[in-house]
């Protein structure tokens, strides 16, 4: 690791300010200081980055390429400073110059090239691969516009373009000499070329894929890995193919924007092109690296050197593309190529939601990627043959790839991979026993679980320095590089100084957030109140609606003189622009908030704050200040969740259904240190199978439930009348999919338990302590170690082994 002295740092910064902006520190703007600092940091790891790439090529150590259409790193500066070991030197060097690092870091826009959990997990894995010493490369798209910026106008979500590259000196280094050509459309006919059937293309549109490499600096490691993000350009010499500006614009538009849906498959042509674009560029680049840098000529050696991971189905065409390259270009026979492909490829499923399953129309594939469709058709034909008269026709039919004119991408991913994993034990179990049961019966050896994890460096060391200092003082600094040490915090269970400290730290963080909320929304919140937090994408299955009904219950109680401890409910959530119901929920929450926050008769006992534009950086502000973590999805719907882990690590107590990784958090901390409620898996499935969920019956039997629901349509929240009616009808609909009314009473009862415990400060902070200690179980470094040893079979770069 390259260390730097404070003097060296200050000299370099002042020199850079002069070089880039001809200003001295006293006249430099924060943006100029940010840009100069970013350059000093990039120079700091440049040598190590070059060195790593050289060692990677010579070590012969196997590498993994993580293919993901989304990466959500958030900001890069502070995590890079931390991993380089430069945080303290830079912080105090800047102080000497009268500059506050946090103010400078705030200049950097989030790298928001993802929607939510899937993208954030990919970014966490990049950080962990480098920090655990494995050679791990990311492969994705360099969107010009990241996930939309969210603004509330009259309570409604409005989406604004997120032109992140405008305002930030991107951390990407353009590598023209590593460009590839990706071919789209046209006609493909197979012609015989000395007894080898080769595809002859005509009328194709060729696009240049230009890579921008972003360094992934490992934590206190001599490893700097690469996240390669591809941009689309008109190929040099292909001007005639794109004579007009409009034609050229069409090429550049390929990578212009991230699709903002994170749960429903829309089947857009441009999205299909995006999925093929980064997959083809990535695999061509890997095979060129295999031949030119690893000096390998025998493709059968590929699985010994390269693992390719498919992050959900979005990169699943990688299986057909590798077959195309091995058969068409390396002229390998099909079966050899297929054996190599299955050994190289592995796939993670992140959702069981039917509407999220990608099924591409074969006509659309014929139009965009005709050769890939031919290969998928051949894979499917051979798959059916390989199983016929071995397994039942039903099983073949339910697992084959092409059905009813649709290419089922999950089936392609499973058939073409040697490993299929879920992201939490319950989720993996549901894949094996329900969603992918026929595949599990056919290929049980492929299925395995890899429980998600989080980057404790970001969510603790960077986001919560106060709590990190306490951990240093209680369990020793080693927890920063070996999170299992956090478990030793349990020894302080009865140490009242430590318990008081935990409370104080939470209070300080809540004061910071209260100031931020005041500035951002004008709402004054009391930092002694329960900070009750629900931060995640807006989706019916995540049930922000249930939280809303609890808020209404509290409000009605307070209006009726029934007291409750002070509470501030904090929401952060973006809705996919085409997701109407989600946007109606946002409107109702904002209008309910407006009524409650301006109702002086309840003496500020309840505040509802919906913070705009929830992203990674806002999460870093909210999470350290949370007392209660809302993980209330309908059981079986949330594959894992990761905000649950981040809030736990920051000492929030969790109220949760037994869904996703909530089950594992409950197992880790014990039933006494978490609030569990709601329908269990089997109850949910029995309702689905028997279609016997009648919320109206509950409404008619329970006055409190009726009163809460009626407030949505009886004018209590006049400005949300229309949307309130939609929610009201939805909640009372027979067989409503997410059992909002069914779980309401149990949820309210559990919230009463929360309020009871809140009064017992010591017991509350003891449970916080237990949750902090056990959050080590969800360190992404251990998750990645599991993938590396059990799926990708990697060896660490610097290990002799
Ligand atoms: C085709 C549109 C689309 C786009 C993204 C469908 C589905 C997705 C993602 C798979 C959705 C997603 O982010 N899933 C979340 O992944 C996290 C990381 O594993 C889990 O923790 C969450 O439970 C899961 O919802």
């Amino acid at each position: 690791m390259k260390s730097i002295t404070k003097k060296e740092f200050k000299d370099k910064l002042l020199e850079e300010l002069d070089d880039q902006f001809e200003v001295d520190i006293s006249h430099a703007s924060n943006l100029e200081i940010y840009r100069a600092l970013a350059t000093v940091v990039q120079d700091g790891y440049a040598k190590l980055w070059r060195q790593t790439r050289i060692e990677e090529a010579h070590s012969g150590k196997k590498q993994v390429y993580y293919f993901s259409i989304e990466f959500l790193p958030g900001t890069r500066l502070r995590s890079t400073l931390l991993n380089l070991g430069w945080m303290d030197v830079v912080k105090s060097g800047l102080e000497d110059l009268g500059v506050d690092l946090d103010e400078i870091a705030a200049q950097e826009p989030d790298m928001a090239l993802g929607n939510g959990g899937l993208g954030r997990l990919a970014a966490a894995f990049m950080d962990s691969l480098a920090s655990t010493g494995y050679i791990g490369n990311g492969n994705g798209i360099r969107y010009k516009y990241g996930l939309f910026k969210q603004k509330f106008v009259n309570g409604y979500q409005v989406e604004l373009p997120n032109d992140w590259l405008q305002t930030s000196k991107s951390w990407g280094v353009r590598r023209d000499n590593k460009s590839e050509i990706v071919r789209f459309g046209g006609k493909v006919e197979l012609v015989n070329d000395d007894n080898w059937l080769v595809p002859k293309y005509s009328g194709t549109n060729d696009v240049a894929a230009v890579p921008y490499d972003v360094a992934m600096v490992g934590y206190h490691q001599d490893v700097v890995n690469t996240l390669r993000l591809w941009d689309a350009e008109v190929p040099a010499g292909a001007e005639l193919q794109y004579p007009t500006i409009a034609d050229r614009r069409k090429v550049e538009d390929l990578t212009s924007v991230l699709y903002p849906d994170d749960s429903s498959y829309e089947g857009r042509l441009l999205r299909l092109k995006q999925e093929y674009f980064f997959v083809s560029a990535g695999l061509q680049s890997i095979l060129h690296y295999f031949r030119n840098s690893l000096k390998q000529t025998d493709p059968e050696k590929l699985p010994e050197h390269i693992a390719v991971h498919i992050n959900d189905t979005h990169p699943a065409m990688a299986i057909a593309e590798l077959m195309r390259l091995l058969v068409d270009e390396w002229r390998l026979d099909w079966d050899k190529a297929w054996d190599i492909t299955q050994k190289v490829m592995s796939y993670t499923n992140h959702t069981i939601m039917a509407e999220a399953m990608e099924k591409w129309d074969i006509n659309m594939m014929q139009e965009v990627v005709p050769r890939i469709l031919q290969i998928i058709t051949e894979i499917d034909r051979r798959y059916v043959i390989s199983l016929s008269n071995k397994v039942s026709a039903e099983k073949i039919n339910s697992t084959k790839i092409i059905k009813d004119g649709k290419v089922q991408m999950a089936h392609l991913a499973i058939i073409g991979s040697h490993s299929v994993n879920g992201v939490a034990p319950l989720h993996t179990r549901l894949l094996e026993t329900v969603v992918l049961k026929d595949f599990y019966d056919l290929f049980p050896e492929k299925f395995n679980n890899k429980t998600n994890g989080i980057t404790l460096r970001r969510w603790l060391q960077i986001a919560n320095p106060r709590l990190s200092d306490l951990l240093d003082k209680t369990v020793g600094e080693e927890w920063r590089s070996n999170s299992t040490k956090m478990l030793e915090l349990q020894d302080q269970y009865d140490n009242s100084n430590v318990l008081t400290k935990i409370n104080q730290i939470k209070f300080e963080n809540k004061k910071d957030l209260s100031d931020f909320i005041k500035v951002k929304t004008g709402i004054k919140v009391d930092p002694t109140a329960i900070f009750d937090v629900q931060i995640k994408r807006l989706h019916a299955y995540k049930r922000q609606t249930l939280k809303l009904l609890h808020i209404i219950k509290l409000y009605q109680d307070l209006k009726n003189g029934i007291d409750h401890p002070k509470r501030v409910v904090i929401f952060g959530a973006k809705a996919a622009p085409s997701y109407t119901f989600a946007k109606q929920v946002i409107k109702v929450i904002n209008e309910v908030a407006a009524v409650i926050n301006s109702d002086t008769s309840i003496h500020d006992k309840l505040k509802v704050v919906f913070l705009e534009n929830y992203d990674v950086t806002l999460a870093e502000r909210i999470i350290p200040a949370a007392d209660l973590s809302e993980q209330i999805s309908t059981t079986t719907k949330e594959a894992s969740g990761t905000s649950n882990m981040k809030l736990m690590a920051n000492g929030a107590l969790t109220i949760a259904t037994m869904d996703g990784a909530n089950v594992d958090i409950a197992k880790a901390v014990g039933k006494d240190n978490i609030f569990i409620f709601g329908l269990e898996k089997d109850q949910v499935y029995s309702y689905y199978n028997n279609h016997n969920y009648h919320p109206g019956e509950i409404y008619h039997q329970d006055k409190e439930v009726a009163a809460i629901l009626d407030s949505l349509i009886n004018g209590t929240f006049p400005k949300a009348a229309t949307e309130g009616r939609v929610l009201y009808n939805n909640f009372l609909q027979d067989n409503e999919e997410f059992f909002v009314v069914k779980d309401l009473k149990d949820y309210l009862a559990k919230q009463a338990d929360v309020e009871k415990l809140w009064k017992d400060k010591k017991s509350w902070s003891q449970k916080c302590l237990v949750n902090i200690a056990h959050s080590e179980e969800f360190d992404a470094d251990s998750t990645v170690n599991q993938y590396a040893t059990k799926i990708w079979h990697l060896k660490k770069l610097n290990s002799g082994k």
Side-chain angles (χ1 to χ4, degrees):
M1 217 174 49
K2 181 169 175 336
S3 66
I4 188 170
T5 66
K6 195 156 69 168
K7 176 155 180 6
E8 284 170 339
F9 163 66
K10 288 196 279 185
D11 294 350
K12 281 180 185 297
L13 183 70
L14 298 176
E15 193 189 322
E16 202 54 52
L17 272 174
D18 191 42
D19 287 1
Q20 284 191 42
F21 309 105
E22 285 138 29
V23 287
D24 60 37
I25 193 79
S26 55
H27 294 92
S29 70
N30 282 349
L31 185 57
E32 288 166 335
I33 297 171
Y34 162 71
R35 292 193 168 156
L37 176 54
T39 307
V40 171
V41 171
Q42 283 156 18
D43 294 351
Y45 60 63
K47 193 159 155 297
L48 204 51
W49 197 7
R50 262 193 312 280
Q51 199 181 312
T52 305
R53 287 205 301 282
I54 294 163
E55 273 166 33
E56 281 171 2
H58 293 133
S59 72
K61 291 273 172 60
K62 187 172 180 181
Q63 314 186 15
V64 64
Y65 287 80
Y66 197 86
F67 278 39
S68 182
I69 200 162
E70 302 185 15
F71 286 94
L72 201 36
T75 54
R76 315 268 316 120
L77 179 64
R78 290 194 294 180
S79 60
T80 307
L81 286 174
L82 180 79
N83 289 8
L84 267 178
W86 286 19
M87 186 71 95
D88 299 342
V89 165
V90 167
K91 201 190 269 293
S92 65
L94 286 174
E95 260 156 34
D96 293 359
L97 299 168
V99 177
D100 169 20
L101 173 61
D102 289 344
E103 265 179 45
I104 301 304
Q107 299 299 314
E108 181 186 358
D110 271 29
M111 201 172 177
L113 309 182
N115 279 284
L118 171 134
R120 180 55 227 168
L121 190 83
F125 282 10
M126 287 299 110
D127 186 282
S128 287
L129 279 163
S131 299
T132 50
Y134 291 109
I135 312 170
N137 313 283
N139 187 67
I141 295 178
R142 184 180 186 257
Y143 302 104
K144 296 177 189 61
Y145 293 91
L147 184 63
F148 64 85
K149 286 185 183 291
Q150 178 194 51
K151 272 213 148 331
F152 295 143
V153 178
N154 188 20
Y156 289 105
Q157 169 180 296
V158 171
E159 300 89 25
L160 300 171
N162 178 357
D163 191 355
W164 71 291
L165 286 171
Q166 232 11 275
T167 42
S168 161
K169 173 173 170 28
S170 121
W171 293 81
V173 177
R174 184 185 169 99
R175 302 248 191 252
D176 281 296
N177 63 340
K178 300 291 184 202
S179 296
E180 302 286 350
I181 294 294
V182 177
R183 207 179 351 228
F184 288 102
K187 294 268 167 292
V188 185
E189 54 176 325
L190 293 175
V191 297
N192 194 321
D193 173 15
D194 79 36
N195 287 335
W196 194 265
L197 269 185
V198 292
K200 191 161 150 311
Y201 295 89
S202 57
T204 62
N205 301 316
D206 300 352
V207 170
V210 180
Y212 287 74
D213 288 354
V214 179
M216 296 285 131
V217 178
Y219 179 74
H220 300 189
Q221 286 274 349
D222 288 344
V223 173
V224 179
N225 286 335
T226 302
L227 165 57
R228 178 160 282 180
L229 300 175
W230 296 93
D231 198 7
E233 293 179 10
V234 171
E239 283 73 12
L240 291 178
Q241 257 192 53
Y242 308 98
T244 68
I245 301 289
D247 296 332
R248 299 177 68 85
R249 173 95 19 91
K250 266 182 77 195
V251 171
E252 287 133 17
D253 280 356
L254 188 53
T255 56
S256 64
V257 68
L258 163 73
Y259 272 83
D261 316 289
D262 87 321
S263 59
S264 70
Y265 161 67
E266 303 286 328
R268 295 274 192 289
L269 190 81
L270 183 60
R271 171 73 173 196
L272 177 61
K273 287 183 173 176
Q274 289 183 339
E275 293 189 356
Y276 183 64
F277 175 71
F278 84 101
V279 156
S280 179
L283 283 170
Q284 290 187 64
S285 172
I286 289 169
L287 289 182
H288 286 140
Y289 176 77
F290 178 70
R291 191 200 323 253
N292 308 337
S293 305
L294 300 182
K295 306 273 178 274
Q296 296 293 325
T297 53
D298 175 3
E300 294 200 52
K301 290 262 183 307
L302 196 64
E304 291 164 30
H305 294 272
I306 305 284
V308 170
H309 197 76
I310 299 172
N311 195 24
D312 214 88
T313 58
H314 317 136
M317 279 186 279
I319 287 157
E321 177 67 3
L322 184 54
M323 285 299 286
R324 180 184 75 81
L325 294 166
L326 292 175
V327 171
D328 293 355
E329 301 195 0
W330 288 62
R331 302 241 167 153
L332 226 58
D333 80 58
W334 185 277
D335 294 335
K336 275 216 183 77
W338 186 239
D339 179 58
I340 292 167
T341 297
Q342 288 185 307
K343 285 192 176 108
V344 165
M345 297 288 173
S346 50
Y347 156 64
T348 295
N349 173 286
H350 294 268
T351 181
I352 66 164
M353 306 292 281
E355 68 261 33
M357 297 301 180
E358 294 189 297
K359 297 180 173 60
W360 287 106
D361 180 88
I362 52 171
N363 302 318
M364 199 180 269
M365 288 199 96
Q366 176 61 43
E367 184 193 337
V368 173
V369 282
R371 181 62 181 142
I372 292 298
L373 181 61
Q374 282 176 348
I375 289 171
I376 292 174
T377 308
E378 181 61 13
I379 291 171
D380 206 21
R381 188 182 69 80
R382 288 171 183 251
Y383 171 73
V384 169
I385 291 169
S386 71
L387 290 184
S388 45
N389 49 30
K390 284 204 199 84
V391 305
S392 68
E394 291 73 52
K395 264 217 171 38
I396 293 175
N397 200 38
S398 69
T399 58
K400 62 194 290 222
I401 301 167
I402 300 175
K403 204 162 165 216
D404 314 330
K406 303 279 183 197
V407 179
Q408 306 182 91
M409 301 311 277
H411 296 198
L412 173 64
I414 296 163
I415 291 168
S417 295
H418 69 272
S419 167
V420 175
N421 77 280
V423 291
L426 173 61
H427 170 61
T428 301
R429 200 78 212 109
L430 291 172
L431 293 179
E432 293 169 347
T433 58
V434 182
V435 185
L436 300 173
K437 181 179 183 322
D438 290 346
F439 280 110
Y440 182 63
D441 296 345
L442 290 169
F443 315 111
E445 74 288 353
K446 289 188 181 189
F447 283 75
N448 60 91
N449 177 64
K450 298 288 174 284
T451 302
N452 282 165
I454 60 171
T455 311
L456 287 170
R457 288 174 287 277
R458 179 176 290 270
W459 301 108
L460 266 181
Q461 292 195 52
I462 291 173
N464 200 340
R466 293 184 178 110
L467 183 54
S468 300
D469 292 347
L470 178 68
L471 284 163
D472 289 346
K473 295 191 179 67
T474 47
V475 302
E477 292 196 6
E478 202 202 331
W479 74 272
R480 292 175 182 266
S481 50
N482 169 10
S483 58
T484 57
K485 296 289 285 179
M486 295 170 70
L487 276 172
E488 293 170 17
L489 185 63
Q490 290 188 101
D491 305 344
Q492 310 301 327
Y493 189 77
D494 293 311
N495 178 331
S496 55
N497 290 340
V498 171
L499 296 175
T500 310
K501 211 50 196 106
I502 286 178
N503 266 346
Q504 262 167 2
I505 288 166
K506 185 59 75 176
F507 184 66
E508 293 300 319
N509 293 341
K510 290 165 74 175
K511 278 202 291 182
D512 290 351
L513 183 59
S514 305
D515 298 345
F516 176 82
I517 289 172
K518 184 78 175 76
V519 170
K520 279 288 175 190
T521 69
I523 303 168
K524 194 171 171 341
V525 298
D526 177 346
T528 68
I530 302 173
F531 275 27
D532 180 1
V533 170
Q534 188 171 24
I535 45 175
K536 50 191 75 235
R537 286 293 296 249
L538 210 291
H539 199 292
Y541 85 77
K542 294 173 185 280
R543 299 202 294 191
Q544 283 89 355
T545 48
L546 195 51
K547 183 77 248 164
L548 173 68
L549 297 182
H550 177 226
I551 289 167
I552 293 172
K553 179 258 187 325
L554 290 175
Y555 180 52
Q556 290 178 333
D557 279 4
L558 292 167
K559 293 291 280 184
N560 302 334
I562 301 165
D563 194 26
H564 289 276
K566 259 191 175 182
R567 188 188 291 243
V568 177
V569 180
I570 298 165
F571 287 101
K574 287 179 178 177
S578 59
Y579 192 173
T580 308
F581 181 79
K583 296 177 92 166
Q584 291 165 325
V585 173
I586 288 177
K587 171 65 174 177
V588 175
I589 292 174
N590 278 328
E591 292 310 335
V592 168
V595 169
I596 291 174
N597 294 343
S598 59
D599 187 335
T600 52
S601 75
I602 61 167
H603 312 293
D604 300 336
K605 290 288 284 257
L606 177 62
K607 292 292 182 188
V608 180
V609 179
F610 202 147
L611 287 169
E612 279 178 341
N613 202 37
Y614 175 63
D615 61 13
V616 171
T617 295
L618 184 52
E620 289 172 10
R621 270 184 193 285
I622 296 172
I623 289 172
D627 294 305
L628 188 62
S629 162
E630 298 280 346
Q631 308 298 335
I632 60 177
S633 55
T634 308
T635 297
T636 78
K637 301 297 183 185
E638 189 70 84
S640 162
T642 43
S643 70
N644 45 8
M645 300 164 182
K646 296 160 188 170
L647 288 153
M648 172 198 190
N650 281 270
L653 299 189
T654 303
I655 183 163
T657 50
M658 285 301 263
D659 193 17
N662 303 343
V663 175
D664 310 285
I665 292 174
K667 210 175 280 162
V669 299
K671 279 272 190 277
D672 306 344
N673 297 298
I674 188 169
F675 301 96
I676 297 294
F677 77 98
L679 291 176
E680 301 247 339
K681 169 173 78 72
D682 299 340
Q683 296 169 296
V684 167
Y685 277 113
S686 118
Y687 272 124
Y688 283 154
N689 299 337
N690 306 318
H691 308 291
N692 57 348
Y693 169 51
H694 305 297
E697 289 167 8
I698 300 169
Y699 174 89
H700 292 296
Q701 286 152 12
D702 187 308
K703 293 222 168 331
E704 182 181 43
V705 168
I708 294 169
L709 293 177
D710 288 350
S711 73
L712 291 168
I713 57 166
N714 65 9
T716 309
F717 310 108
K719 288 184 66 183
T722 318
E723 294 79 10
R725 168 60 69 176
V726 171
L727 269 58
Y728 179 89
N729 295 346
N730 172 271
F731 298 154
L732 291 173
Q733 197 157 10
D734 271 350
N735 299 307
E736 182 272 317
E737 194 180 353
F738 304 111
F739 310 105
V740 174
V741 171
K742 176 62 189 170
D743 271 343
L744 181 54
K745 289 301 275 191
D746 198 8
Y747 180 54
L748 298 181
K750 203 50 70 172
Q751 285 287 358
D753 296 348
V754 169
E755 293 187 356
K756 209 152 122 283
L757 181 73
W758 179 250
K759 296 191 174 79
D760 175 350
K761 285 282 168 266
K762 181 166 183 247
S763 174
W764 184 280
S765 40
Q766 282 180 317
K767 296 178 190 303
C768 295
L769 179 147
V770 171
N771 276 271
I772 297 166
H774 283 279
S775 66
E776 58 82 31
E777 184 172 326
F778 304 102
D779 186 339
D781 289 3
S782 356
T783 306
V784 156
N785 251 319
Q786 290 279 310
Y787 277 85
T789 50
K790 301 276 177 20
I791 298 179
W792 304 324
H793 311 298
L794 307 181
K795 295 249 183 328
K796 295 189 175 184
L797 182 61
N798 302 331
S799 69
K801 292 182 286 181

